[in-house]
Each structure stands twice: as C-alpha cells, then as structure tokens.
C-alpha cells in the first residue's frame, strides 16, 4: 500500500481530526487511496463514492480577497457545456491562496483549458483547482498551508480577461463552490458540508433550487 505516503507525502503529519470524527473514522486518505496522480487533473472517472461524507470547512482561507463573481457554476447554453467552477475577478499578478491545508497534486499548463493551473488535495476530502493563472508559486508534491500563495492571477488557457477559475471537487465530482465559499462576503457558507451521493446529478452537485 502506498496510499498514506502518497496522500500527504513525507511531510504530511497534518490530519484533520474533526473530519475523521465526523466520518466515523473514514478519512480522505481511505477514499483517495492509491489515486495520487500528478499529471491528470481528473483521474477519477470510475471511482466509487460514499453515500455521504462530511467535509470540514473550518480550516478554510479565501483563495482571493476579490468579492466579484463573474460567472457562476452550471450549464452554459451558449457553449453547450457545463462550467464546473466559479469565476472570480482578479487582476494579472494578484496573489492566489490555498483554500485549505494540503498537498499540490498537479501543477501544470493546459493551453486549451485551465492555462497555468494547480490542483490541491486536502485532508477534508476536497480537491481545489485554480485556473488561468499567470504564474505558479508551488510545485508538485509541495505541502501547503491554508492561505499560502500558490500562484498569481492571470489570463492563460481558454480565458477571456484575467480571472480566477476556481473548482471544488470531491473524488473528482464537481461541487458548486458557491455551496462552500461565499466570495461576496469573503467567508465560508457552512462549517460542515455534507456531500450526499443522492444530491449528485451528471457528476455534479449543484445548489438546490
Ligand atoms: Zn471558469
């Protein structure tokens, strides 16, 4: 088994005790066991998900102090595709911060999509993705703390105007970041977000209407 080492790497003493308690001993390490992939943003196609999982939000840090959401999560009829993140206005060169403690899983450039992007894995079970950055400020396998600078805002990849494309995913499944982070008010929405498989549609968890 390589899962534990690969999940948090050698420096990874950080454990989210609250998350472990909430989930009756099931940890993100169990869920992601053997799934450490440093080249693909989305390696989780057929990974089974638990019926429910508590995600501890309390260690959060806002990825940017910007309060301006420029595009919401959801279907974009104009492009006939889903927008699986939230766009937040930032200027090129603005610092982008890690949303939670974690480890940088993917630090790459994707010319036709995310541009310069970073995927962080967190011990609360989430992964967060930061796209269109002008510069990376971390490397693959880096251990980061919530609030550490991980990149600079930009306009790289498939992007029209500088902004941060921010995704929150659970075992690859996109959760509307607006269910977790309130950018206009610069705070978290809930301290304990309960992922429920029954809330998932087309591989996404969107706000209940
Ligand atoms: Zn976007």
């Amino acid at each position: 088994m390589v899962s534990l080492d690969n999940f948090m790497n050698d420096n990874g003493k950080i454990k989210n005790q609250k998350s472990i308690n909430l989930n009756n001993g099931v940890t993100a390490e169990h869920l992601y066991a053997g799934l450490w992939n440093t080249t693909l943003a989305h390696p989780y196609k057929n990974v089974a998900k638990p019926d429910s999982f508590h995600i501890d939000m309390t260690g959060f840090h806002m990825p940017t102090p910007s309060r301006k959401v420029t595009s919401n999560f959801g279907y974009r009829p104009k492009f006939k595709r889903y927008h699986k993140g939230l766009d937040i206005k930032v200027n090129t060169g603005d610092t982008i911060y890690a949303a939670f403690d974690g480890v940088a899983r993917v630090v790459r450039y994707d010319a036709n999509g995310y541009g310069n992007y970073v995927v962080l894995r967190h011990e609360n079970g989430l992964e967060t993705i930061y796209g269109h950055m002008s510069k990376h400020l971390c490397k693959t396998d880096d251990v980061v703390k919530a609030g550490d600078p991980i990149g600079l805002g930009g306009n790289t990849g498939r992007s029209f105007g500088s902004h941060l494309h921010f995704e929150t995913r659970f075992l690859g499944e996109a959760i509307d970041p607006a269910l977790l982070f309130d950018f206009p008010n610069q705070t978290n929405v809930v301290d304990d977000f309960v992922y429920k498989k029954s809330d998932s549609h087309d591989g996404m968890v969107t706000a209940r209407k």
Side-chain angles (χ1 to χ4, degrees):
M1 288 294 285
V2 290
S3 57
L4 292 187
D5 287 350
N6 282 351
F7 182 73
M8 278 289 129
N9 82 26
D10 294 341
N11 300 317
K13 304 288 184 277
I14 32 180
K15 290 267 164 53
N16 188 324
Q17 193 57 48
K18 210 179 287 178
S19 175
I20 294 168
N21 295 341
L22 286 169
N23 292 301
N24 300 316
V26 176
T27 67
E29 288 156 286
H30 296 128
L31 299 174
Y32 286 92
L35 297 171
W36 186 255
N37 183 314
T38 60
T39 55
L40 297 174
H42 307 296
Y44 305 123
K45 205 163 172 49
N46 296 310
V47 174
K49 291 164 192 72
D51 289 337
S52 74
F53 192 79
H54 289 261
I55 293 168
D56 174 19
M57 289 288 299
T58 56
F60 81 102
H61 187 286
M62 296 305 289
T64 161
S66 171
R67 295 169 183 266
K68 193 173 176 193
V69 175
T70 55
S71 184
N72 288 311
F73 184 97
Y75 189 64
R76 286 173 161 173
K78 195 175 156 191
F79 301 101
K80 291 196 170 65
R81 55 183 282 156
Y82 284 95
H83 182 233
K84 294 190 174 180
L86 207 58
D87 291 347
I88 300 119
K89 178 61 196 170
V90 298
N91 294 313
T92 296
D94 285 355
T95 306
I96 306 300
Y97 303 96
F100 304 96
D101 293 355
V103 183
R105 182 169 68 77
V106 184
V107 180
R108 297 195 74 187
Y109 176 67
D110 168 14
N112 299 313
Y114 289 127
N116 285 316
Y117 72 101
V118 169
V119 182
L120 299 181
R121 184 181 291 180
H122 308 290
E123 59 263 40
N124 65 1
L126 283 181
E127 289 194 321
T128 51
I129 305 180
Y130 311 78
H132 309 311
M133 297 190 294
S134 57
K135 192 178 193 303
H136 297 125
L137 294 179
C138 62
K139 306 184 304 296
T140 303
D141 291 328
D142 277 358
V143 174
V144 299
K145 301 298 277 181
D148 279 354
I150 53 150
L152 301 178
N155 187 26
T156 58
R158 197 174 60 209
S159 171
F160 305 94
S162 62
H163 72 282
L164 173 68
H165 172 88
F166 178 60
E167 295 185 14
T168 46
R169 290 181 179 254
F170 175 67
L171 286 170
E173 189 160 320
I175 297 173
D176 184 346
L179 294 170
L180 305 169
F181 292 88
D182 179 346
F183 281 90
N185 291 302
Q186 288 287 299
T187 188
N188 58 330
V189 176
V190 285
D191 285 345
D192 174 25
F193 179 85
V194 187
Y195 166 86
K196 290 202 183 81
K197 200 151 70 175
S198 57
D199 288 343
S200 156
H201 302 283
D202 299 325
M204 285 174 294
V205 177
T206 51
R208 294 178 194 90
K209 295 269 162 42

